[in-house]
Each structure stands twice: as structure tokens, then as C-alpha cells.
Amino acid sequence: MKRNFASDNNSGIHPNILKAISECNIDHVSAYGSDIYTERAVDKFKEYFGENIDVYFVINGTAANVLGLSTITNSYNSIICSEYSHINVDECGAPEKFIGCKLINLPTEHAKITLEQIKNLILRMDDQHSNQAKVISLTQSTELGTVYSIDEIKNIVDYAHQNKMFVHVDGARISNACVSLKTNFKKMIVETGVDILSFGGTKNGLMLGEAVIFFNRELSEDFKYIRKQGMQLVSKMRFISAQFEAYLTHNLWYENANHSNQMAQLLYEKLSNIPEITITQKVQSNGVFAIIPSKYISILQEKYSFYVWNENTSEVRLMCSFDTTIDDIDKFAELIKNTVKS
């Protein structure tokens, strides 16, 4: 099978994660999270985020986002998000179906919503004729590979709390963002005041699984029932938990994310030297967005898979993974260079 740049979901599983799964596949343990592996994984999260958190494991990011958001909203509420956000574009209407409230998606040039945009929406509060804005959902890093600064997050959180709102972070690529900012999870999430985080690892070396983390434990009081009713209470949870324990041990999360970010930077540098290619977004995490003349795209896709992000502009998305190699980048960039000049 050939390497590809279509998605970091297409990568394999890190050997340390596979080893952790294998090592917990012994004997019998209690089901539904009442096991030593889940306890140790939660303890690992507390090392990074502090003791005053609640952690719940689910299977995937859609579940983490939808169930987390459902905990803090009613059907008459609205959720403010970017037009590019997964909850708006890539979850098949699951938020609207299962939460039942309105998504207000904002037009964003770089997939980052701004405080000024939010302020324009906080209108008609306490008006019984209007849906009530309740949550601001940020994606870190964003679907366009850009990253919110710590100050940007803090300012949005402060404004949200001043207006009796919550902030949720979709952290499917949270590790890539953390590496990009040269910071730690506590500074980026806890100290900025974020209320709920969907913490992902599948795109960074895990087989499957996501953690929903509550930083205000009063909000998670009923989440165990919401998770069960949402069909995400995994019976053999140890096989998810063991992955996260390994992921958060010896900075494996950092090594994987740092590598994929570096590969994206290398790809950016290679493509920047090809006059026919235009880079469209800042390369701040593990994705490169570029305009490739449409007549070359199908030729390139015969040898490498990647997504056409915008068919009208011929903008493509090129994702790097923890297992992307320099050789992968060199060969792909050389193919593009030779193709556009042929």
C-alpha cells in the first residue's frame, strides 16, 4: 500500500499503542471502565490537566463533541462555531439531531472565529422569541491547520463566561496545536478557562478513542447517563484507556505531533519553491493547503491520495502523520514538481 496525504486518519497505529493494547489483553477485568487501566489513564490526564477534572472515554470524535455539547445545552440554545468546524460540516447533522439546538456557523477566512464576530451574535438574550446562545465551540487546531493563540482562547472564554456561556474545544488535533504553540495542555486549556474539551488521539497514533474532559465538574454530574444513552459506554473500555495511558507516557503524544508538524513544514518548504503552486493557509500544525492547477490533480492522484478541499479554486489538503517520512515528502514533492513542469 502506498503512503498518502489524504488524512492523518489513514496512518497506522503507533507500535507503543499496539503494545499497550496487547499487554492489557490478559485475564479478566471489570467492564465499563471499572478497571485499573482506565484508572491509570485518568490519572495520566490529571498529571497534564490537574486534579479537578472528570474524564470520560468514548469511541470517536463525533461522539465526544455531540455528547459533550449536549451536556451543556437545551434545545432552545445555539452553539457558535466556524463554518469549517466538524460539528457544522463533517458530522452528518449529528449535533442538530441529537442535541436539537441551532448551530450558528460563522464565515472565517482561516477557520478561526473572532471575538468581534461573537459579540455581534450575543443579541436578544433573555428574549423568549430568540434562541439563546449558550456555547462557543472552537477547534484546536482548526480544520485549515491554523491554531488559536492562548490569548485568543482566553479572550473568547472570558467573554463567554461574562455572558453566562460555555466554551467547548474540539481537540481532535489538540496535540499538534500544543506543539505548534510550544506550550502545554494546562496553559492552553485549563488556565484559559475552557469548560469542556474533546481530546483526540486517533489522528496522532491511536487506533480509536477520544476523551471528554470536564474542567467544571458540576457540568459532568449526569454525563455517565448521557454517555450510556448516547451508546458510547464501551464494555471493554480498557482497550481504549490503555491507549491513552501509553499516549500520555514518556511524551509519546508530543513526539508524534512534533514529527507530523515538522513533516508539514518540510512539505510547505518544498512546495513553496514550485512557482505553479500557491500555499493558501499558514502552516501551523500538520496540514498544508495549496492550490494546484486542476489539470494536474488527477495525474498526481494516480500515485498519491489527497483531498480536493475546494473544487472551484483547485485548493487541496495535504495531511502529514506521525509516520510520514522525509522520503515520503521528497518523492511527493518531486512528483508535483515534475508534473507541473512537464
Side-chain angles (χ1 to χ4, degrees):
M1 295 294 290
K2 63 184 177 183
R3 298 276 184 159
N4 69 72
F5 296 88
S7 174
D8 38 10
N9 282 322
N10 292 6
S11 65
I13 306 167
H14 192 279
N16 288 11
I17 301 298
L18 275 175
K19 181 181 178 183
I21 294 171
S22 178
E23 288 179 348
C24 78
N25 189 33
I26 56 173
D27 297 329
H28 285 205
V29 302
S30 297
Y32 302 108
S34 299
D35 61 85
I36 188 63
Y37 303 99
T38 299
E39 181 181 336
R40 293 203 305 244
V42 170
D43 286 342
K44 277 293 178 183
F45 274 106
K46 288 181 177 180
E47 288 180 18
Y48 285 91
F49 291 98
E51 288 291 325
N52 194 33
I53 62 173
D54 281 335
V55 182
Y56 294 87
F57 297 113
V58 296
I59 296 173
N60 56 38
T62 298
N65 287 336
V66 171
L67 297 183
L69 288 167
S70 69
T71 309
I72 52 176
T73 52
N74 292 297
S75 58
Y76 53 81
N77 290 133
S78 60
I79 300 168
I80 299 170
C81 59
S82 162
E83 62 180 341
Y84 292 105
S85 65
H86 259 77
I87 60 172
N88 182 54
V89 177
D90 290 311
E91 288 174 353
C92 196
E96 292 95 334
K97 177 177 174 61
F98 292 101
I99 303 173
C101 66
K102 183 180 183 66
L103 294 184
I104 301 178
N105 55 87
L106 298 174
T108 51
E109 185 178 0
H110 302 294
K112 292 165 58 177
I113 57 179
T114 67
L115 185 56
E116 290 307 312
Q117 287 179 301
I118 296 167
K119 287 180 178 179
N120 291 332
L121 292 175
I122 309 302
L123 305 170
R124 300 179 66 181
M125 300 300 279
D126 297 322
D127 180 349
Q128 64 184 337
H129 300 288
S130 174
N131 65 288
Q132 300 294 291
K134 193 63 177 178
V135 184
I136 301 166
S137 182
L138 309 176
T139 307
Q140 181 75 330
S141 54
T142 74
E143 289 78 10
L144 293 182
T146 54
V147 173
Y148 287 94
S149 70
I150 290 177
D151 285 343
E152 286 173 326
I153 297 172
K154 182 71 165 62
N155 290 338
I156 288 173
V157 170
D158 287 347
Y159 184 78
H161 290 172
Q162 290 164 13
N163 287 274
K164 300 179 181 179
M165 299 174 64
F166 299 112
V167 173
H168 160 265
V169 170
D170 178 347
R173 296 184 177 95
I174 191 75
S175 298
N176 299 94
C178 196
V179 169
S180 177
L181 292 175
K182 299 179 181 179
T183 188
N184 58 56
F185 294 127
K186 195 168 187 178
K187 287 182 179 178
M188 183 170 60
I189 300 298
V190 182
E191 294 179 9
T192 57
V194 168
D195 298 290
I196 300 179
L197 168 67
S198 298
F199 185 98
T202 307
K203 293 175 170 60
N204 197 35
L206 268 65
M207 181 173 73
L208 81 168
E210 190 122 349
V212 184
I213 307 176
F214 293 86
F215 302 98
N216 178 348
R217 301 179 80 172
E218 292 181 2
L219 299 178
S220 60
E221 184 176 353
D222 295 326
F223 190 76
K224 60 183 178 180
Y225 308 114
I226 292 171
R227 177 174 65 174
K228 175 64 176 182
Q229 196 174 65
M231 299 168 283
Q232 287 289 316
L233 178 57
V234 180
S235 58
K236 296 185 179 181
M237 195 178 296
R238 59 173 152 159
F239 296 104
I240 293 178
S241 305
Q243 292 179 77
F244 277 107
E245 183 187 7
Y247 187 65
L248 296 173
T249 299
H250 304 310
N251 287 327
L252 179 60
W253 67 272
Y254 177 90
E255 292 177 9
N256 287 358
N258 186 53
H259 178 79
S260 57
N261 283 11
Q262 287 182 347
M263 292 300 97
Q265 285 294 327
L266 179 60
L267 180 58
Y268 161 72
E269 292 167 8
K270 297 277 186 180
L271 297 187
S272 296
N273 292 323
I274 304 175
E276 294 84 355
I277 306 300
T278 302
I279 307 297
T280 58
Q281 301 291 333
K282 294 180 180 178
V283 181
Q284 295 179 315
S285 54
N286 63 320
V288 178
F289 288 75
I291 292 175
I292 298 177
S294 58
K295 61 183 177 180
Y296 302 122
I297 290 177
S298 60
I299 300 172
L300 296 171
Q301 287 179 325
E302 290 177 2
K303 294 189 176 181
Y304 287 91
S305 297
F306 56 87
Y307 285 124
V308 178
W309 186 260
N310 186 327
E311 292 184 7
N312 293 327
T313 62
S314 294
E315 183 181 24
V316 304
R317 186 187 78 163
L318 308 169
M319 297 301 299
C320 296
S321 308
F322 79 92
D323 56 0
T324 301
T325 66
I326 294 176
D327 188 57
D328 293 333
I329 300 294
D330 287 343
K331 288 180 178 178
F332 183 51
E334 189 67 19
L335 174 65
I336 294 175
K337 181 179 178 181
N338 293 335
T339 300
V340 300
K341 291 185 176 180
S342 61

